[in-house]
């Protein structure tokens, strides 16, 4: 608005590679948290949401862009793929504020965590496809196969090789974070040098591969990447938002608002109802599952990079992609953050207050308190580093967390939804 920053003038030819490297690191950070066992371990509804739900959202978002915005199929497909991505950075703060019932909160939380890298992979694959040509020929299919084959192959090889390096401690512990940073940038650079557009796929596959390697401890690296991603995202949002042409945003007009409303009131509920068929969720919970699906960091970063590359190649309509994605991000976050608590109370799917108790300790006294609280209708979770006590609590049917309640591991894995009190009963 004030024209204090003109990214194209400030960064010049460095803008696109700078954004590309930042997006590569953001995608790696998201993919390195994707454990395939967690998709299987969180029930049919979560599994459906990150598979069938992603495809349904992609289809409906593509249709809305074509019908309401008048975009051609290629650009609409890319837009649809980008807006399938939510993420924990937008979901988890909402859940802490809204406090839905535990089962619903778990589904929303894990969907946000798992759909982040899966949706990004879909967006990268669609981008590779639409940038080859507008008509499918043997040459195009060959180039597409080369890009996907190189990205997947290099990602697997690099992920395995560097995972072995980390697992065997061939890199000093104090250099692990920076070695991974260098490895991600190196793999991205090699892939892009060999075949354009394969770098993002390579680093994403590398992260997924390492996340699922046995006996590979990545918690410290994930912490570093989360901090680095926060810095990159803060910078990207400023730089990318400064490139948005307000005139182009105004040209989208009411059609952009109609797309946001379609995603909120049609695509969201359709995704939730289809993916929860046969589950034990009540109809109120299914409706609320369809209401909450904000878009965030990955959608903004990926769309901006794709738009830069499309603009450079003279792709028609590329200048409208980022304004439309930013409109969806702002629209979904504003609508859902302002209405989330009201709708949850109206549907009676929110806990009246966070009256659950986190009990630090698993000794007999702690277990007795936990059982009494649960019998009184309160949620209780026992957290301890003592395996014997945790084992006995689990056998007694008490929800447990094995580890330190104040660790970085607990920040990611300890579910605090509904817990508003702490009872310190450690040994």
């Amino acid at each position: 608005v004030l024209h204090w920053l003109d990214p194209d003038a400030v960064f010049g030819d460095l803008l696109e590679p700078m954004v590309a490297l930042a997006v590569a690191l953001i995608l790696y950070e998201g993919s390195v948290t994707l454990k395939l066992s967690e998709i299987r371990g969180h029930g049919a509804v979560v599994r459906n949401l990150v598979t069938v739900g992603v495809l349904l959202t992609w289809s409906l978002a593509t249709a809305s862009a074509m019908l309401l915005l008048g975009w051609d199929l290629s650009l609409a497909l890319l837009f649809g793929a980008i807006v399938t991505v939510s993420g924990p950075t937008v979901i988890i703060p909402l859940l802490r504020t809204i406090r839905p019932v535990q089962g619903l909160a778990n589904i929303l939380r894990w969907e946000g965590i798992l759909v982040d890298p899966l949706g990004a992979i879909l967006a990268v694959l669609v981008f590779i496809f639409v940038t080859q040509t507008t008509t499918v020929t043997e040459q195009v299919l060959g180039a597409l196969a080369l890009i996907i084959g190189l990205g997947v192959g290099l990602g697997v090889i690099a992920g395995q090789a560097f995972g072995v390096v980390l697992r065997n401690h061939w890199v000093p512990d104090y250099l692990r974070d920076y070695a991974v940073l260098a490895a991600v940038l190196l793999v991205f650079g090699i892939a892009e040098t060999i075949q354009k557009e394969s770098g993002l796929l390579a680093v994403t596959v590398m992260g997924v591969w390492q996340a699922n390697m046995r006996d590979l401890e990545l918690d410290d690296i994930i912490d570093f990447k989360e901090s680095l991603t926060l810095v990159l995202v803060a910078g990207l949002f400023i730089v990318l938002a400064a490139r948005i042409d307000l005139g182009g945003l105004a040209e989208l007009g009411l059609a952009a608002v109609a797309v946001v409303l379609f995603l909120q009131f049609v695509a969201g509920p359709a995704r939730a109802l289809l993916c929860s068929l046969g589950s034990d969720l009540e109809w109120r919970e299914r409706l609320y599952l369809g209401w909450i699906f904000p878009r965030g960091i990955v959608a903004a970063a990926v769309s901006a990079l794709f738009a830069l590359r499309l603009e450079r190649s003279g792709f028609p309509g590329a200048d409208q992609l980022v304004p439309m994605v930013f409109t969806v991000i702002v629209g979904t976050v504003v609508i859902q953050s302002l209405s989330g608590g009201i709708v949850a109370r109206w549907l009676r799917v929110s806990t009246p207050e966070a009256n659950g108790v986190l009990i630090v300790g698993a000794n007999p006294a702690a277990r007795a308190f936990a059982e009494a609280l649960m019998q009184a209708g309160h949620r209780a979770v026992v957290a301890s580093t003592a395996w014997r006590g945790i084992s006995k609590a689990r056998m007694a049917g008490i929800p447990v967390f094995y580890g330190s309640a104040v660790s970085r591991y607990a920040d990611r894995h300890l579910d605090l939804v509904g817990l508003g009190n702490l009872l310190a009963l450690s040994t």
Side-chain angles (χ1 to χ4, degrees):
V1 173
L2 300 175
H3 301 290
W4 287 350
L5 174 64
D6 182 355
D8 295 281
V10 173
F11 299 106
D13 293 338
L14 291 177
L15 179 61
E16 192 268 342
M18 182 188 73
V19 173
L21 291 172
V23 172
L25 290 168
I26 291 169
L27 292 184
Y28 175 81
E29 188 271 329
S31 62
V32 82
T33 61
L34 178 59
K35 293 185 181 294
L36 299 179
S37 60
E38 290 177 343
I39 297 178
R40 297 189 296 268
H42 285 88
V45 176
V46 173
R47 186 179 66 245
N48 292 342
L49 286 170
V50 298
T51 52
V52 177
V54 167
L55 296 177
L56 181 63
T57 302
W58 179 30
S59 303
L60 293 175
T62 299
S64 70
M66 293 178 66
L67 297 175
L68 298 174
L69 298 172
W71 288 0
D72 64 16
L73 179 60
S74 296
L75 193 61
L77 282 170
L78 186 56
F79 167 75
I82 290 170
V83 297
T84 62
V85 180
S86 181
T89 54
V90 282
I91 282 288
I92 291 177
L94 271 179
L95 296 181
R96 288 174 179 164
T97 304
I98 297 168
R99 299 196 308 268
V101 292
Q102 185 180 353
L104 188 57
N106 284 337
I107 290 173
L108 288 167
R109 175 171 173 265
W110 279 106
E111 181 197 15
I113 292 171
L114 297 173
V115 83
D116 206 358
L118 290 173
I121 292 172
L122 173 64
V124 171
L125 292 175
V126 173
F127 176 73
I128 291 170
F129 179 77
V130 301
T131 51
Q132 293 308 301
T133 186
T134 55
T135 58
V136 178
T137 64
E138 290 184 7
Q139 184 179 359
V140 170
L141 293 176
L144 184 63
L146 176 61
I147 293 171
I148 295 175
L150 176 65
V152 173
L154 185 59
V156 169
I157 293 170
Q160 179 68 28
F162 201 70
V164 171
V165 170
L166 295 176
R167 189 164 56 193
N168 292 317
H169 301 282
W170 293 343
V171 174
D173 285 351
Y174 68 92
L175 289 178
R176 277 166 56 96
D177 298 343
Y178 304 100
V180 171
L181 172 62
V184 172
L185 298 180
L186 177 64
V187 170
F188 178 78
I190 291 173
E192 287 287 308
T193 301
I194 298 173
Q195 179 66 47
K196 294 292 288 182
E197 316 303 352
S198 63
L200 294 179
L201 183 58
V203 297
T204 305
V205 172
M206 176 182 172
V208 174
W209 188 269
Q210 290 179 337
N212 292 277
M213 287 182 67
R214 291 184 179 180
D215 303 321
L216 179 58
E217 180 58 53
L218 294 172
D219 283 353
D220 57 331
I221 291 170
I222 292 172
D223 291 336
F224 173 71
K225 283 291 182 290
E226 286 176 347
S227 300
L228 181 61
T229 297
L230 186 63
V231 175
L232 293 174
V233 166
L236 281 180
F237 261 119
I238 294 170
V239 170
L240 302 178
R243 293 189 76 249
I244 293 180
D245 178 15
L246 293 182
L249 188 60
E251 285 179 9
L252 293 172
L254 293 178
V257 177
V259 170
V260 174
L261 295 178
F262 178 83
L263 293 175
Q264 180 69 47
F265 289 96
V266 179
R271 152 190 145 272
L273 293 174
L274 179 63
C275 295
S276 60
L277 288 175
S279 71
D280 56 359
L281 291 178
E282 297 181 357
W283 67 269
R284 294 187 181 89
E285 295 173 330
R286 295 184 187 188
L287 285 178
Y288 197 72
L289 186 62
W291 187 254
I292 300 296
F293 192 69
R295 276 68 170 183
I297 288 164
V298 173
V302 169
S303 66
L305 174 60
F306 291 172
L308 282 169
R309 292 186 170 179
L310 292 174
E311 288 171 13
R312 188 181 61 193
S313 62
F315 199 92
D319 58 327
Q320 294 184 326
L321 182 62
V322 174
M324 190 61 241
V325 172
F326 268 74
T327 301
V328 171
I329 293 170
V330 174
T332 55
V333 170
V334 168
I335 291 173
Q336 294 169 28
S337 61
L338 292 179
S339 66
I342 298 171
V343 174
R345 288 190 293 273
W346 178 63
L347 291 174
R348 298 199 294 276
V349 295
S350 62
T351 53
E353 59 180 301
N355 57 11
V357 183
L358 172 64
I359 302 175
V360 178
N363 49 59
R367 298 197 300 271
F369 269 103
E371 290 179 337
L373 286 164
M374 291 171 65
Q375 289 172 4
H378 299 282
R379 185 181 178 219
V381 175
V382 165
S384 175
T385 56
W387 173 249
R388 178 176 295 182
I390 285 290
S391 178
K392 290 181 178 179
R394 181 180 290 164
M395 293 297 290
I398 301 170
V400 298
F401 174 78
Y402 180 48
S404 170
V406 293
S407 64
R408 288 291 185 92
Y409 179 80
D411 284 344
R412 286 189 299 275
H413 298 279
L414 178 55
D415 181 13
L416 295 176
V417 174
L419 301 179
N421 304 282
L422 171 71
L423 191 56
L425 292 174
S426 61
T427 305

